[in-house]
């Protein structure tokens, strides 16, 4: 009896993922991708040149794969507007960008087998797009300007229409510049028509790190500071954030082709947002680049948190999404253990834990049996000495204080490599037909994050062939951890027998992450770090199916 109570679905952080406006690619790429969009469901071209011999995102192979997802189901129509707005974070209000004036954007819910037809109207001063994080969908709806579509120009609109094949917890956000680190994100929940879990209520929890509109800061200015700061005398070899005084750097004018209007320029005296000394053993050392003034759960600061109400004994399904730009969160619900049922939308063999670690872009579903009282759901910004908070209330009692750290945060900790895929979704054992090795390179000194020392350009292609079992080996030669995301597919962690199915996974400093997937969804698909600032600096590339 899963009573799908729509919770105050929280702030899916805005990590603008890989965008078309990457500075490394230059302003020419943005200009090529800033078409008006095709309006009302027409298929806009990618807007960039692509090497011959690869599947066209609008080609016959993509259409055939979409037909293979079956017929039937309802058509779920949604109208969405991206615009500048005032957002109430709880104890303060900021000016930012959002979907429909909500933070996070209003949850979109469909049932597996449905067709989603969502029209995005762009009322922003910049071109934008929508990426459907975690979904195996038709390639021309994946929302990557310069690769799968033209960006939606200011004043334009575009209808994303595709069959939703797999149930699970997903989310959506732009793939344009640093836009995701504003308020542009929302949960996408795909119900299972044959739901095997039994629960009474559902709580969608979106974690975020927030900087936009605070004391003159913007994500564009943060990226500018990170780039410029270490170039000016940085000598740490990329291994750390050593003592650079970056005060005032955030006020510099943008020259990276992000398209920020004059009205979006940061204040000249905006504080430095460069993070110094954030360390975490769980993350292998350096925890992050950006010092955020706020950390949010469902768009609220700890001083005025969102509250979820239930009854003692209720079985509650928590769908937890890390929408942050630069922050891993360690999460726990005070007074409760958690039973993990899914990661990144796909079921796992149930496992019990006190705490979970989520990199940016990762999702976990857990079940809890509610106690009687008032309980903190605490999201520790791992290595950054700050927390976000939401509250579970089933009875009387005082609300927890803003900085509460339940003992469960230091209890049993579960990470993805400890999980096993459920039998129904376990990837069949098979030797890979193709292995693609990608070395993660770069550092803080030059802020030159990339794969194989090659900053992202829209025409990069790593070839795969339909029907292959493909192995990706990510060798991290940097001193930072990176959450790596593959579009359009779900992979299995290959260094774990029966490893869980995921679309985003953490690779630690000087470590290697090995994942396997079946090449069963033709097109051009991004692979990138889901740290907004790393991806925008160049740590993105493209897998291309050979035609």
């Amino acid at each position: 009896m899963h009573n799908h109570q729509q919770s105050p679905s929280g702030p899916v952080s805005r990590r603008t993922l890989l965008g078309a406006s990457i500075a490394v690619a230059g302003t020419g790429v943005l200009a090529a991708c800033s078409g008006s969009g095709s309006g009302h469901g027409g298929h806009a071209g990618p807007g960039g040149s692509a090497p011959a011999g690869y599947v066209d995102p609008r080609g016959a192979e993509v259409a055939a794969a979409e037909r293979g997802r079956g017929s039937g189901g309802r058509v779920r129509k949604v109208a969405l507007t991206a615009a500048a707005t005032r957002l109430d974070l709880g104890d303060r209000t900021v000016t930012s960008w959002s979907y429909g004036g909500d933070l996070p954007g209003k949850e979109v819910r469909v049932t597996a087998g449905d067709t989603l037809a969502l029209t995005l109207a762009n009322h922003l001063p910049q071109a934008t797009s929508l990426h459907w994080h975690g979904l195996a969908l038709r390639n021309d709806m994946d929302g990557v300007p310069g690769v799968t579509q033209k960006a939606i120009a200011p004043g334009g609109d575009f209808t994303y229409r595709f069959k939703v094949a797999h149930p699970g917890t997903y989310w959506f956000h732009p793939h344009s510049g640093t836009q995701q680190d504003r308020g542009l994100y929302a949960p996408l929940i795909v119900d299972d028509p044959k739901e095997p879990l039994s629960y009474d209520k559902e709580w969608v929890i979106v974690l975020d790190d927030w900087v936009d509109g605070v004391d003159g800061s913007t994500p564009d200015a943060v990226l500018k500071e990170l780039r410029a700061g270490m170039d000016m005398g940085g000598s740490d070899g990329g291994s750390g954030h050593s003592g650079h005084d970056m005060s005032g750097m955030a006020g510099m004018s943008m020259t990276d082709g992000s398209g920020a209007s004059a009205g979006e320029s940061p204040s000249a005296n905006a504080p430095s947002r460069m993070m110094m000394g954030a360390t975490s053993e769980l993350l292998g050392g350096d925890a992050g680049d950006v010092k955020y003034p706020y950390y949010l759960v469902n768009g609220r600061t700890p001083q005025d948190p969102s509250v979820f109400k239930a009854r003692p004994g209720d079985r509650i399904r928590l769908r937890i999404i890390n929408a942050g730009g630069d922050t891993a969160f360690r999460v726990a619900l005070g007074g409760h253990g958690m039973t993990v049922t899914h990661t990144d939308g796909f079921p796992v063999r149930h496992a019990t834990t006190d705490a979970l670690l989520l990199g940016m872009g990762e999702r976990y579903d857990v079940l809890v049996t509610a106690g009687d009282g008032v309980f903190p759901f605490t999201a520790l910004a791992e290595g950054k000495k700050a927390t976000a908070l939401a509250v579970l209330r089933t009875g009387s009692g005082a609300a927890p204080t803003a900085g509460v750290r339940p003992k469960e945060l230091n209890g049993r900790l579960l990470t993805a490599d400890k999980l096993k895929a459920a039998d129904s979704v376990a990837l069949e054992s098979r030797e890979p037909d193709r292995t693609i090795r990608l070395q993660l390179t770069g550092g803080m000194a030059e802020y030159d994050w990339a794969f194989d020392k090659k900053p992202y350009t829209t025409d990069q292609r790593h070839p795969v062939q339909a029907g292959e079992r493909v192995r990706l080996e990510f060798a991290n030669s940097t001193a930072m951890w990176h959450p790596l995301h593959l579009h359009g597919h779900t992979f299995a962690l290959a260094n774990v027998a029966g490893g869980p199915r995921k679309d985003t996974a953490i690779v630690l400093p000087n470590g290697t992450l090995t994942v396997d997937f079946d090449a069963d969804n033709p097109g051009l698909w991004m692979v990138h770090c889901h740290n907004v600032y790393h991806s925008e600096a160049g740590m993105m590339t493209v897998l291309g199916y050979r035609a």
Side-chain angles (χ1 to χ4, degrees), residues 36-44 157-159:
S36 63
S38 59
H40 305 297
H43 297 273
D157 61 69
F158 184 84
T159 296

Side-chain angles (χ1 to χ4, degrees), residues 311-503:
R311 297 169 301 182
D314 274 351
R315 192 168 169 86
I316 306 171
R317 180 178 190 165
L318 280 61
R319 297 180 183 263
I320 309 167
I321 302 166
N322 183 355
D326 177 71
T327 304
F329 287 98
R330 191 193 327 176
V331 302
L333 178 62
H336 295 74
M338 299 184 287
T339 299
V340 180
T341 63
H342 297 72
T343 181
D344 292 359
F346 276 63
V348 297
R349 294 183 188 176
H350 291 190
T352 57
T353 189
D354 296 313
L356 285 167
L357 180 70
L358 289 86
M360 296 82 78
E362 288 190 284
R363 292 93 62 212
Y364 282 90
D365 291 24
V366 305
L367 292 175
V368 301
T369 300
D372 187 356
V374 186
F375 306 96
F377 178 90
T378 297
L380 173 69
E382 182 64 32
K384 294 186 175 183
K385 299 179 181 178
T387 56
L389 176 69
V391 174
L392 170 62
R393 179 177 286 277
T394 66
S396 60
T401 59
V404 62
R405 295 199 181 190
K407 62 181 176 58
E408 286 80 6
L409 281 174
N410 295 315
R412 296 169 297 168
L413 177 75
L414 190 142
T415 51
D417 58 313
K418 304 294 195 301
L419 292 169
K420 302 280 188 181
D423 292 344
S424 60
V425 298
L427 201 61
E428 179 185 354
S429 180
R430 173 180 163 188
E431 284 299 308
D433 301 298
R434 183 189 302 267
T435 298
I436 298 173
R437 296 178 177 86
L438 294 172
Q439 185 180 23
L440 283 62
T441 57
M444 284 297 294
E446 303 293 335
Y447 219 76
D448 54 351
W449 306 108
F451 291 117
D452 299 319
K453 299 183 179 180
K454 297 173 184 175
Y456 170 69
T457 58
T458 57
D459 61 355
Q460 289 175 354
R461 300 290 180 267
H462 295 275
V464 300
Q465 197 78 40
E468 290 181 331
R469 169 66 56 82
V470 180
R471 173 162 289 177
L472 299 176
E473 292 183 353
F474 299 99
N476 187 2
S477 63
T478 81
M480 282 286 293
W481 69 283
H482 303 276
L484 297 171
H485 175 50
L486 170 64
H487 287 209
H489 302 77
T490 297
F491 51 68
L493 299 190
N495 52 350
V496 182
R501 299 286 300 277
K502 291 181 65 63
D503 54 68

Side-chain angles (χ1 to χ4, degrees), residues 220-222 224-230 232 245-254 266-274:
D220 287 336
V222 170
K224 189 70 177 179
E225 178 186 9
L226 292 170
R227 280 211 183 102
M230 290 303 184
M232 301 174 68
D245 179 8
M246 298 313 303
S247 59
M249 286 301 299
M252 294 181 64
S253 61
M254 295 301 298
S267 166
N269 59 358
S272 170
R273 299 300 182 188
M274 187 175 290

Side-chain angles (χ1 to χ4, degrees), residues 253-267:
S253 61
M254 295 301 298
T255 57
D256 67 352
S258 66
S261 67
E264 294 302 322
S265 297
S267 166

